[in-house]
Amino acid sequence: MQLDEYKQRAGRGERIAAGSGAHLLMHGAAEEARRITCEMNNAFHTAEELRTLFAELTGEQPGEGFSLFPPFYTDFGKNIHVGKHVFINAGCCFQDQGGIYIGDGCLIGHQVVIATLNHGKDPARRGDMQPAPVRLGNNVWIGSHATILPGVTVGDGAIVAAGAVVAKDVPAGAIVGGVPAKVIKHIETE
């Protein structure tokens, strides 16, 4: 299986059977991701060097104004898509097999986890995986230690409070927090 076909299937939410061609592709990508993140995380790099390593990791150039503070972790790397003026703080962990789409102007706090896979519920098929993309709109702020679960869309301008576990979509302009995350209030702009 080729990467483009994998991304299309994952984007449609097709199940990934344990041991399948898609599963084997994921393992190959994981080895490359470990190599690149090891380089990224275990030596000092300038902002431009980090941008170059991130582009190698994802297979595409991040938008202008991209900034990343290592360490950064991912077990795939090839399905992360980043807009302009995005900042990713230290210690983040992206499980991007199902696709992570980060809009312009997003701020992602320390040790945020973004997950895009669930395992099969049937114990006999527990090794199977179900991908579902995570989408962050423009100007989203994800607080430190938040977890965004598979299939969630966070609307433009929303804020996810530190430590929140987001299991369902967040409306544009909302502030959510808690476990599971709930709308606390809506942002009033000046």
Side-chain angles (χ1 to χ4, degrees):
M1 172 174 289
Q2 298 297 316
L3 182 60
D4 287 341
E5 179 186 356
Y6 171 87
K7 286 182 181 181
Q8 289 172 1
R9 291 179 62 187
R12 291 190 299 265
E14 292 182 19
R15 181 178 55 84
I16 300 167
S20 67
H23 193 221
L24 295 175
L25 181 134
M26 288 169 51
H27 281 281
E31 284 189 24
E32 182 178 1
R34 284 193 309 272
R35 179 186 61 77
I36 296 167
T37 57
C38 187
E39 170 65 25
M40 187 183 289
N41 296 336
N42 291 307
F44 173 79
H45 296 285
T46 65
E48 189 55 40
E49 290 169 337
L50 287 169
R51 182 180 172 82
T52 299
L53 285 165
F54 194 82
E56 181 183 356
L57 176 67
T58 63
E60 58 186 57
Q61 288 294 322
E64 69 179 66
F66 171 78
S67 183
L68 168 75
F69 285 3
F72 176 78
Y73 305 98
T74 183
D75 54 359
F76 190 68
K78 298 300 184 201
N79 212 358
I80 301 172
H81 313 276
V82 177
K84 299 175 187 172
H85 305 289
V86 168
F87 173 65
I88 300 172
N89 217 326
C92 289
C93 185
F94 289 7
Q95 180 201 48
D96 64 291
Q97 290 89 338
I100 296 174
Y101 301 86
I102 301 172
D104 296 343
C106 286
L107 303 175
I108 301 176
H110 288 92
Q111 297 181 338
V112 166
V113 172
I114 301 177
T116 66
L117 287 177
N118 278 316
H119 283 280
K121 292 178 183 157
D122 177 355
R125 300 199 63 108
R126 190 64 41 89
D128 291 358
M129 290 161 277
Q130 189 69 45
V134 169
R135 299 177 189 282
L136 306 182
N138 294 327
N139 301 306
V140 168
W141 174 19
I142 308 294
S144 296
H145 297 274
T147 299
I148 313 295
L149 296 177
V152 167
T153 295
V154 179
D156 291 346
I159 297 172
V160 174
V165 176
V166 184
K168 60 183 180 178
D169 291 352
V170 176
I175 299 173
V176 300
V179 180
K182 293 181 178 16
V183 174
I184 297 169
K185 67 182 199 173
H186 290 274
I187 299 166
E188 297 178 23
T189 58
E190 299 172 11

